[in-house]
Amino acid sequence: WGRPRGSRLRNFNWETLPQDRVVGRQNIWTASLGESDRSAVHIDTSSMEELFGRREQPKNLSVRKSFRAKSPQRGGTIEVSILDSKRSMNISIFLKQFKRPVQDILEDIKQGASAAYGAEKLIELQKLLPDKEEVKKLRGFRGDRVGLSEAELFLLHLVDMPSYAERLEAMVVREEFQPRLRSLRFCLRTLTEAAHELLGCGELHTVMRLVLKAGNYMNEGGYAGSAVGFRMSSLLKLADTRANKPGMNLMHFVVMEVEKNDKKLLEFPTKLKNIKEASRMFTQEVHSELETLKRKLESLGATLSCQPDLWQQVQDFVQEAGTQLAEMGGAVATFETARRALAEFLCEDEERFSLEECCSIFNSFTHRFLRARQENEDRAELEIKRKRRERERREQEKKEKRTSIASCSHRECPMQAASLELALLRDYSNGLGRRSLRQERSTQPGALGRSHSLRPIRGAEG
């Protein structure tokens, strides 16, 4: 991993794979052994130690309580009396939605014309068929039919029709076969393509090997360290390993390291176009639905083949549907091959490996990866804004300081001029004072100047 680890880190609680399931086989973990140093992924261990280094804190024991809501159990069934007013009303409401005369509906059932109704309506009609007691009562009616309600008249004519239940069943099978087959074909194709995407996405494989390297560095020296691989469910635990920096976890660190290694690796979600849809499907239901369609088709053929008029109505459909079901067998085989190949590549148990569960894991991981990437970008943008505000604040402080110094200099100029003027006035005043003092001395007796005192004396002598 580079330099030895300098501090104790938080543990990444992943589920590691045994060596015998990885070593000596072609899988996602051994695929990196032939890579050159330049193409191998690297992690910033100093950053990891800063983010995930353990801090000694007092342990706070907390009790976590789990509350599991129990869904109320609804029991009991509504018992309906035979041909009572409520049942007659329900049948009348159902018939009115077709906006067709009752005789036309009965004729369509006799001819097997199902296209005008659809599978859902025909299934509802099946649920409204009379039970044994009602059939016995309807067939035993000997009164005037003119006074019967529309619902009772419909049931009365229906039970007089030979094999009415089988006719309705044939109509239902015909109408629901193609939509259900298209849905199953779409499910198998989506699941198969999702498996191929996971097998062929090299960027995803590189990201997972980076996670392996980061997890081994964090768990170094512990029971979960030196792992050769991990189970895919461990990817969902990345966000549970929190960093020392608020709002960050191991997922954010993985995204940063992926970006440092190669920004193209960040685009792996765009290559997994079918995993979201595949995560919503259930392989077991696909197999069960195919078996149901096959069983219904076989039952229909066996029931109606001994009734020439009915068999003539459904013969072409039964043969064509059988051919399409046989073709679906090839799609199932292709899906199963892709499922087993992905299970082997991910070092999972082939017999228990669920492709839709795997797709669900990678779909959640992809969603969290993209969210962590966006959060990293938002955090970096906030940091840029913070640094810009800090720089602007320092520049404003410098500007205010320069303005303060300049204003002080402007105030000192007139003060210096006034001081100079005051000094000059003081010197001038001192000079005048000395002159006046000399004048006073010259006017005092006996204090004549030389020029004034000598001239009179000289005149007297002459």
Side-chain angles (χ1 to χ4, degrees), residues 295-313:
R295 186 170 58 254
K296 281 188 175 183
L297 196 63
E298 292 175 350
S299 175
L300 184 65
T303 302
L304 302 185
S305 59
C306 57
Q307 302 183 45
D309 59 330
L310 289 179
W311 179 245
Q312 187 177 1
Q313 294 178 6

Side-chain angles (χ1 to χ4, degrees), residues 163-355:
S163 305
Y164 67 90
E166 289 78 4
R167 293 176 187 274
L168 270 176
E169 177 64 19
M171 295 170 69
V172 169
V173 173
R174 175 181 290 179
E175 287 302 312
E176 71 178 1
F177 181 82
Q178 289 300 334
R180 293 172 73 175
L181 192 67
R182 284 194 298 269
S183 177
L184 294 174
R185 189 180 289 114
F186 173 76
C187 289
L188 288 173
R189 183 172 62 250
T190 302
L191 288 166
T192 303
E193 290 178 357
H196 290 157
E197 289 172 357
L198 292 173
L199 280 167
C201 187
E203 293 83 357
L204 174 64
H205 306 162
T206 303
V207 171
M208 292 177 64
R209 288 192 285 268
L210 188 146
V211 173
L212 176 65
K213 183 171 290 188
N216 275 329
Y217 186 82
M218 294 182 69
N219 296 332
E220 182 180 347
Y223 73 95
S226 303
V228 293
F230 59 84
R231 296 201 64 191
M232 299 303 102
S233 57
S234 302
L235 292 172
L236 303 183
K237 299 180 181 180
L238 289 170
D240 298 336
T241 307
R242 301 190 178 278
N244 298 324
K245 191 174 182 180
M248 287 194 66
N249 53 52
L250 188 54
M251 179 67 81
H252 295 96
F253 174 80
V254 168
V255 174
M256 290 190 300
E257 294 305 305
V258 167
E259 187 172 7
K260 289 179 182 177
N261 279 271
D262 189 353
K263 289 187 176 181
K264 292 182 179 179
L265 299 176
L266 296 172
E267 305 302 324
F268 78 85
T270 60
K271 298 186 177 182
L272 305 177
K273 299 178 181 180
N274 288 282
I275 61 170
K276 183 177 181 180
E277 191 71 30
S279 66
R280 302 171 181 172
M281 299 173 178
F282 298 94
T283 306
Q284 189 62 36
E285 289 187 3
V286 172
H287 290 292
S288 177
E289 188 73 9
L290 281 173
E291 288 298 321
T292 299
L293 287 179
K294 183 178 180 181
R295 186 170 58 254
K296 281 188 175 183
L297 196 63
E298 292 175 350
S299 175
L300 184 65
T303 302
L304 302 185
S305 59
C306 57
Q307 302 183 45
D309 59 330
L310 289 179
W311 179 245
Q312 187 177 1
Q313 294 178 6
V314 300
Q315 182 178 6
D316 293 341
F317 161 73
V318 170
Q319 293 176 352
E320 183 181 356
T323 302
Q324 293 178 338
L325 282 177
E327 294 174 354
M328 286 295 294
V332 172
T334 302
F335 157 75
E336 187 63 20
T337 300
R339 186 191 70 84
R340 289 183 175 274
L342 182 60
E344 182 180 2
F345 186 69
L346 299 179
C347 302
E348 300 283 350
D349 186 354
E350 293 183 12
E351 299 301 327
R352 301 173 58 186
F353 178 69
S354 171
L355 179 55

